[in-house]
Every structure is written in structure tokens, then in C-alpha cells.
């Protein structure tokens, strides 16, 4: 009787194990089937994707722009931020330029001189008999149709420099020249020396709105070449190198700032070139700069004062403005291209 019970129990256990094995086998089978289906589905997608790539997706082209290409869309966005690519901004810029300078749009010439100081405008008026002078709400301007040159006194600092750099785009000038003053950093420089900057350190706060920080602020080579020729023809020596452009005034009393200037190996420091070079570059405006050393703040007693400033203006600025007018008038007369490529 005990043996029968034992055999029955063994049969029951064997049946149970068989049932469990069958269930496990079904589950594994289902998983394998599911995996095969998923693999097959992915393979189909891959094949479809490959076919699409081979055939090429139909581009979404509107007004010559491929909107299915993210790079093309980005370019359109950036162009829309600039005056040359935004008709509404251009309209407002023309209105602003006329209001700020007092000039009519037709008065502006294709060669433009920029300055921070009113004396340069006065001297321009004295040198050119047909000079037409106006004063607007923020700037002062004068134009000579005979010399084909306009001069604009736009104020001081990087913010005003960036503003005039953008506004000039509506004129579509052939060349722009900034006649600025700077403080010498390199010990070999002295008051009255000329500098043709080849680059400017973007240490101010406005250019980040126009270009990524790693992009250098550079002048237009051909403009600098013309100015260089004029200087050489007149027998004036000049230096070339990098300028530090800052919006920090009274830096002369900050030892850390001065140490940084030395480590950068810059020739001089000023406040406008980086903003002008950057905004003019993105606005398709050809620009150069001829800087005049007006003081030597790194040397004892070298900081500019009211008395020393008068000496600088009396002795050197006439030469500065005369060289600027000659360079711009020369560019107008020669009729050469300043830019040899198109954006």
C-alpha cells in the first residue's frame, strides 16, 4: 500500500515538472518570437532609412533657402539680425543715422572717417572748402563731395562704436577709417607715434552680441594697406601690432589690469577698435584704423592731463586728420576694390 502511494506521488511530481517545463518553453518561445519580430522591424526601418538616404529627401526650398538644412536656417537667422539682411532694420537705421548726425542720407559719401573728438571735424571743415557740416541729436558730421569723404564724430566708448559700426552699413561705404587716440603700453612707444593695428583684444562688453568670443576683431587689410602707403610716402614711421580694447576707464590705477596688458604683449590700449572692427565685419563694412599715441600711462607721470592733451592736439592731430583725409580721398580716386570676395 505504501509502495502504491509512493509511485502515485512520483507520477504527480513528474507531471508537475513536465507542466512547468512546458510553460517555461512557451515563455522562451514567445520571447524569441518577440525578439525576432523586433529585429525584423529594425532591419526594415534601417533599409527604409538607407533607401531614403540614397534617394535623398526632398529639400524644402523657399526663396532659394533649403529649410530642411539646419545650417541654412541658421544662416538665414543670422542674416536677419543684420542691416543688410533686414529691410525693417535698414529703414530704422537710415532714420536713426539722419537723426543722430543731422545729415540727409544723400549727403553721406562712400569714404568715411570716424573720430571721437570735435577738433577733427573742425579741422576737416577748415581743410575742405565745400564741407557741409551738421549737428544731430547725438553725433556731428561733415561731408565733402569734392573729396568724396564724410567725417562723423560719434562719441566715446565701445557701445557708441558698435552703434555707428552698424549704422554705417546703410551707406554701403567703400571704406571707413577710424582716427583714434590710444595709451601706449609698450615701453618703446612715445607720444605722437602712429599705430596701424592688425587686431584688437575684445575686452569690452558689446562685441559678444555680434560674434562668439573666440573670433578675433580684425580690420580690413586693404584699408590698412592704403593708410600704410600714405604714411610711407610722407616719411612717417608707424608700428603694427595688437591693441587692447576695453570699456574700463581709470584702468591706470589698477595694477592687476596693467599686468594683464603686459602679459598680452599689446602695443596700446583704447576703447573703440574691437567694437568697430567686429560690428563692421558682420555688417559688411570695410574698416581700418590709424591710432595716435596720446599718452604713456604705464610710465611715471605719463597719464594724460588737460595740459598734455592740449599739447597733443596742437602738435600731432593736424597731421593725423590730414593723413586720414588723404588716405580716404586716395581710395576714392583709385577706384580699386577693397574687398575681393563676397559673403
Amino acid at each position: 500500500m505504501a509502495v502504491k502511494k509512493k509511485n502515485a506521488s512520483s507520477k504527480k511530481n513528474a507531471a508537475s515538472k513536465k507542466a512547468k517545463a512546458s510553460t517555461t518553453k512557451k515563455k522562451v518561445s514567445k520571447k524569441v518570437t518577440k525578439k525576432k519580430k523586433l529585429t525584423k522591424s529594425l532591419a526594415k526601418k534601417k533599409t527604409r532609412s538607407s533607401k531614403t538616404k540614397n534617394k535623398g529627401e526632398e529639400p524644402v526650398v523657399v526663396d532659394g533657402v533649403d529649410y530642411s538644412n539646419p545650417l541654412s536656417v541658421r544662416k538665414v537667422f543670422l542674416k536677419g539680425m543684420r542691416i543688410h539682411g533686414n529691410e525693417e532694420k535698414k529703414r530704422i537705421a537710415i532714420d536713426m543715422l539722419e537723426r543722430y548726425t543731422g545729415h540727409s542720407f544723400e549727403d553721406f559719401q562712400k569714404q568715411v572717417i570716424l573720430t571721437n573728438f570735435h577738433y577733427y571735424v573742425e579741422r576737416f571743415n577748415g581743410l575742405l572748402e565745400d564741407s557741409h557740416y551738421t549737428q544731430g541729436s547725438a553725433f556731428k558730421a561733415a561731408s565733402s563731395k569734392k573729396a568724396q569723404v564724410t567725417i562723423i564724430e560719434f562719441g566715446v566708448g565701445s557701445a557708441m562704436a558698435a552703434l555707428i559700426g552698424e549704422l554705417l552699413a546703410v551707406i554701403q561705404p567703400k571704406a571707413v577709417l577710424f582716427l583714434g587716440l590710444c595709451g601706449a603700453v609698450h615701453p618703446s612707444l612715445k607720444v605722437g607715434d602712429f599705430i596701424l593695428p592688425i587686431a584688437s583684444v575684445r575686452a569690452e562688453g558689446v562685441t559678444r552680441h555680434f560674434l562668439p568670443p573666440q573670433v578675433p576683431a580684425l580690420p580690413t587689410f586693404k584699408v590698412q594697406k592704403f593708410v600704410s602707403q600714405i604714411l610711407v610716402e610722407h616719411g612717417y614711421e608707424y608700428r603694427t601690432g595688437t591693441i587692447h580694447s576695453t570699456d574700463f576707464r581709470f584702468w591706470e590705477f589698477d595694477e592687476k589690469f596693467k599686468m594683464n596688458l603686459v602679459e598680452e604683449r599689446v602695443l596700446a590700449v583704447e576703447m573703440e577698435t574691437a567694437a568697430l572692427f567686429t560690428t563692421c565685419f558682420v555688417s559688411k563694412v570695410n574698416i581700418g584704423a590709424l591710432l595716435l599715441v596720446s599718452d604713456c600711462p604705464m610710465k611715471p607721470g605719463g597719464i594724460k592731463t588737460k595740459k598734455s592733451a592740449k599739447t597733443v592736439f596742437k602738435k600731432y592731430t593736424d597731421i593725423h586728420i590730414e593723413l586720414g583725409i588723404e588716405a580716404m580721398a586716395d581710395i576714392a580716386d583709385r577706384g580699386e576694390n577693397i574687398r575681393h570676395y563676397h559673403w
Side-chain angles (χ1 to χ4, degrees):
M1 192 75 176
V3 175
K4 282 184 181 179
K5 281 184 181 180
K6 192 176 180 181
N7 287 339
S9 179
S10 296
K11 284 181 182 179
K12 194 175 181 182
N13 289 337
S16 177
K17 283 180 183 180
K18 193 176 181 180
K20 282 181 181 179
S22 177
T23 305
T24 305
K25 193 175 180 181
K26 284 179 182 178
K27 284 181 180 179
V28 171
S29 179
K30 281 182 181 179
K31 282 183 180 180
V32 170
T33 306
K34 195 175 181 181
K35 191 175 181 181
K36 281 182 178 178
K37 285 181 179 178
L38 184 61
T39 305
K40 198 173 180 180
S41 175
L42 288 171
K44 280 183 180 178
K45 283 183 181 179
K46 194 174 181 182
T47 305
R48 201 181 298 127
S49 175
S50 178
K51 284 179 181 177
T52 306
K53 278 185 182 178
N54 291 333
K55 286 182 179 179
E57 290 183 4
E58 283 294 320
V60 183
V61 179
V62 180
D63 295 330
V65 179
D66 181 4
Y67 282 91
S68 60
N69 186 336
L71 187 60
S72 297
V73 174
R74 182 64 180 167
K75 284 181 178 178
V76 170
F77 171 75
L78 290 173
K79 188 177 180 182
M81 293 174 65
R82 309 301 170 214
I83 285 171
H84 59 267
N86 186 321
E87 286 301 317
E88 177 62 11
K89 188 173 183 179
K90 184 179 180 180
R91 184 183 67 80
I92 295 296
I94 291 172
D95 181 87
M96 188 181 292
L97 187 63
E98 290 184 328
R99 178 162 45 94
Y100 278 14
T101 62
H103 257 39
S104 295
F105 185 71
E106 296 76 21
D107 294 332
F108 290 100
Q109 302 300 302
K110 291 299 181 180
Q111 287 68 228
V112 180
I113 293 172
L114 297 177
T115 180
N116 309 120
F117 302 99
H118 187 60
Y119 178 76
Y120 282 71
V121 180
E122 289 179 343
R123 186 63 182 152
F124 182 94
N125 293 335
L127 290 168
L128 300 167
E129 293 178 358
D130 68 328
S131 176
H132 168 58
Y133 170 75
T134 59
Q135 181 172 341
S137 60
F139 306 150
K140 299 174 183 70
S143 290
S144 166
K145 289 185 178 179
K146 189 175 180 181
Q148 301 178 63
V149 180
T150 292
I151 186 169
I152 301 173
E153 176 194 343
F154 66 88
V156 177
S158 58
M160 298 304 282
L163 175 59
I164 193 63
E166 278 207 279
L167 293 179
L168 286 174
V170 300
I171 304 171
Q172 295 184 332
K174 185 175 182 182
V176 177
L177 180 65
F178 173 51
L179 299 177
L181 302 186
C182 62
V185 173
H186 199 278
S188 66
L189 289 168
K190 60 186 184 301
V191 173
D193 284 347
F194 289 118
I195 298 175
L196 271 177
I198 59 171
S200 186
V201 176
R202 294 167 54 193
E204 34 57 63
V206 71
T207 57
R208 63 186 177 86
H209 297 292
F210 296 88
L211 284 175
Q214 69 271 23
V215 181
L218 306 174
T220 306
F221 170 77
K222 196 75 177 282
V223 178
Q224 298 300 73
K225 179 176 174 283
F226 269 103
V227 178
S228 172
Q229 287 176 328
I230 298 296
L231 289 165
V232 170
E233 286 169 10
H234 287 281
Y236 291 113
E237 291 186 0
Y238 65 91
R239 298 285 295 277
T240 61
T242 305
I243 303 299
H244 182 100
S245 204
T246 182
D247 51 14
F248 177 30
R249 200 61 194 91
F250 254 23
W251 59 265
E252 298 91 338
F253 298 92
D254 189 318
E255 294 303 317
K256 186 179 177 182
F257 185 91
K258 290 195 287 185
M259 185 60 70
N260 182 60
L261 293 177
V262 174
E263 290 175 355
E264 287 179 344
R265 304 293 195 272
V266 294
L267 286 177
V269 59
E270 53 76 71
M271 303 181 76
E272 293 86 20
T273 55
L276 286 170
F277 293 168
T278 301
T279 55
C280 283
F281 173 71
V282 301
S283 302
K284 297 188 179 183
V285 174
N286 302 308
I287 187 166
L290 176 61
L291 303 180
L292 173 66
V293 175
S294 60
D295 63 338
C296 302
M298 305 292 278
K299 297 177 182 178
I303 299 175
K304 186 162 55 184
T305 61
K306 184 165 64 174
K307 184 179 178 181
S308 67
K310 283 183 180 179
T311 304
V312 170
F313 273 85
K314 187 178 180 180
K315 196 172 180 180
Y316 302 111
T317 52
D318 282 2
I319 301 168
H320 199 197
I321 180 64
E322 286 166 18
L323 288 169
I325 293 171
E326 187 174 343
M328 290 295 98
D330 193 36
I331 286 175
D333 289 340
R334 292 193 190 189
E336 291 183 33
N337 286 329
I338 300 299
R339 190 190 302 135
H340 295 283
Y341 61 92
H342 297 280
W343 280 301

